[in-house]
Amino acid sequence: MTAPIPTVIDCDPGTDDALALWLALASPELEVRLVTVAGGNVGLGLTLANARAIVGLTGKAVPVVAGAAKPLLGEYVSETAVHGGNGVGGVTLPEGPPAAPGLACDAIRDLLRAAGPGEVTLIGLGPATNLGLALGSEPALVEKVREIVLMTGAWGEGNITPGAEFNAASDPEALAMVLASGARVSLVTLDLTAQAFVTPERVAALRGRSGGRCLAAAVEILSRIPPSRRFGGRGYPLHDPCAVALAAVPGLMTVRDVAAVVECGTGPGRGRTHLDRWGRTGAPARTGLAEVLEAEAFFALLEERLAALP
């Protein structure tokens, strides 16, 4: 077995972030060294408390560091309709360990400075503000990055505006900085996560697994997520764990290289990602785009690893 990949998880928990963090912490392919947090699905005070609680439930000693409360430009907007007032569907999680001191972008830079060339994978599950600040303020650190995996964007319809996905729309300038950083970036978009479709039957199957406190909390959170209007109320897509799965078990998805840009204007297209899947622009195809998910294998992996946690 190859050595686990040193990994940073940048997140904004968030119901699906919770599942993603537990998947990452249960995956032997990843060595999660740092969790950084931004305001996103809910405000920074809540996302930080949630991240601390989620990590704390696993019993793992991974530092959790607070970062940006708002985007580089514009106003902060939450998404409580999906994630509930506390970010995790109203589920009460036990208080986690205290946050580590410092600021997320500084912590990311410190970790990268101490790493070897091409050693660290960065997984972004929320607005890209912390990652943009870290890489934009010290561009030479990109040589320490193995890959950046982001749950962001869409090549089709958005979920916060007609054209934009929530994370991309929350801070398109930061996303543009990450895409232009020179690192290998792979995108898990709404079009991919729609294939990780959670139905009541899937939640019931997970509830039937034997496991510990993390599995119990995961099932409770999943049961609180409202069904999606975009999918006729039949269930909902599980976004963020797909990004962790791509980093840990890339064979679960097919990936093609594309040219990728994000709109940073002030009009109705703000935050829209333009993903050139067919080479129409002639721009260099330097960004990986996950296109097809092996859904049954993905859910089997998720169930197995959640059940293995304390």
Side-chain angles (χ1 to χ4, degrees):
M1 182 176 178
T2 58
I5 301 165
T7 302
V8 175
I9 308 285
D10 185 57
C11 57
D12 62 333
T15 53
D16 54 334
D17 302 72
L19 275 290
L21 278 170
W22 283 320
L23 177 59
L25 291 164
S27 291
E29 300 87 355
L30 305 178
E31 180 191 351
V32 181
R33 294 185 177 179
L34 175 66
V35 173
T36 56
V37 183
N41 290 317
V42 287
L44 179 62
L46 288 169
T47 59
L48 180 62
N50 291 340
R52 291 168 39 232
I54 292 159
V55 173
L57 273 179
T58 70
K60 295 181 181 288
V62 178
V64 178
V65 182
K70 59 180 290 186
L72 297 177
L73 298 175
E75 297 300 320
Y76 164 73
V77 178
S78 65
E79 184 43 83
T80 56
V82 172
H83 298 277
N86 73 343
V88 286
V91 175
T92 300
L93 299 175
E95 180 79 11
L103 191 63
C105 59
D106 294 333
I108 294 169
R109 285 195 300 264
D110 289 345
L111 188 147
L112 290 176
R113 288 190 198 109
E119 184 178 2
V120 179
T121 288
L122 306 175
I123 302 177
L125 307 178
T129 317
N130 291 333
L131 297 178
L133 286 169
L135 296 175
S137 57
E138 196 168 344
L141 289 176
V142 74
E143 71 174 21
K144 306 298 187 77
V145 176
R146 172 190 177 110
E147 182 182 23
I148 301 173
V149 181
L150 302 177
M151 191 282 114
T152 196
W155 72 72
E157 186 178 14
N159 66 347
I160 192 69
T161 71
E165 177 273 333
F166 176 80
N167 288 337
S170 293
D171 198 336
E173 285 79 16
L175 177 55
M177 292 168 69
V178 174
L179 290 172
S181 68
R184 168 68 179 182
V185 179
S186 295
L187 302 181
V188 172
T189 68
L190 295 180
D191 318 272
L192 185 286
T193 64
Q195 300 166 53
F197 193 69
V198 178
T199 61
E201 291 76 19
R202 285 206 186 277
V203 176
L206 192 60
R207 194 183 295 277
R209 292 285 301 245
S210 60
R213 57 184 180 265
C214 292
L215 178 65
V219 170
E220 191 61 28
I221 289 170
L222 288 172
S223 70
R224 304 284 188 94
I225 300 174
S228 172
R229 257 195 327 147
R230 292 192 300 132
F231 296 92
R234 296 179 292 107
Y236 53 85
L238 191 61
H239 305 294
D240 290 342
C242 293
V244 171
L246 179 59
V249 190
L252 290 176
M253 301 173 205
T254 61
V255 178
R256 85 161 79 187
D257 287 348
V258 303
V261 295
V262 57
E263 286 195 40
C264 295
T266 58
R270 180 171 173 79
R272 182 173 180 81
T273 49
H274 295 277
L275 306 175
D276 185 7
R277 298 169 63 220
W278 303 105
R280 294 185 176 102
T281 65
R286 295 174 177 159
T287 301
L289 177 65
E291 289 191 312
V292 180
L293 173 70
E294 295 290 342
E296 293 304 321
F298 166 77
F299 280 109
L301 178 82
L302 185 66
E303 290 185 17
E304 174 189 339
R305 294 193 174 179
L306 288 178
L309 287 169

